[in-house]
Amino acid sequence: MMKIIFDFDGVLTDFNRFIQENNALIQPITLLWIKNSKSKCKVIVNFGKAFQMEGMSIDEGMQRFMEIQKAALEENKVYIKMYCKSE
């Protein structure tokens, strides 16, 4: 059974504050390394939908970021089953 663990610590709050102050674009990206796999497929890179924090509080921006990241991790599970089969 596959177990995906994700950890987004307090650094992201500071990061989102910086983004908000500069009205920059956030591009969520997940990188999934498949450890100990016999498959040739070892890494999945998933680019989530980019968004701007304009008009959002830091908490709203963080929530949006986390929603996109969690959705991307769920997509990664599907890709693993489809493309990363052991040989």
Side-chain angles (χ1 to χ4, degrees), residues 20-58:
Q20 184 185 44
E21 289 172 1
N22 294 288
N23 196 28
L25 188 66
I26 295 178
Q27 174 63 68
I29 300 171
T30 60
L31 298 170
L32 180 63
W33 176 259
I34 304 164
K35 188 176 180 181
N36 300 328
S37 173
K38 294 178 182 178
S39 174
K40 293 179 182 179
C41 177
K42 297 278 188 184
V43 178
I44 297 174
V45 181
N46 191 329
F47 293 87
K49 185 174 180 178
F51 69 97
Q52 286 188 300
M53 287 187 57
E54 186 175 18
M56 290 185 193
S57 70
I58 292 170

Side-chain angles (χ1 to χ4, degrees), residues 1-33:
M1 178 174 201
M2 173 184 26
K3 182 178 183 180
I4 296 178
I5 299 171
F6 58 93
D7 181 22
F8 303 102
D9 60 21
V11 173
L12 287 175
T13 301
D14 292 336
F15 175 72
N16 283 345
R17 184 174 289 115
F18 172 79
I19 297 280
Q20 184 185 44
E21 289 172 1
N22 294 288
N23 196 28
L25 188 66
I26 295 178
Q27 174 63 68
I29 300 171
T30 60
L31 298 170
L32 180 63
W33 176 259

Side-chain angles (χ1 to χ4, degrees), residues 60-73:
E60 290 169 332
M62 186 63 165
Q63 181 178 353
R64 174 105 169 113
F65 178 82
M66 293 298 291
E67 288 170 358
I68 293 169
Q69 291 296 79
K70 287 177 183 178
L73 289 172

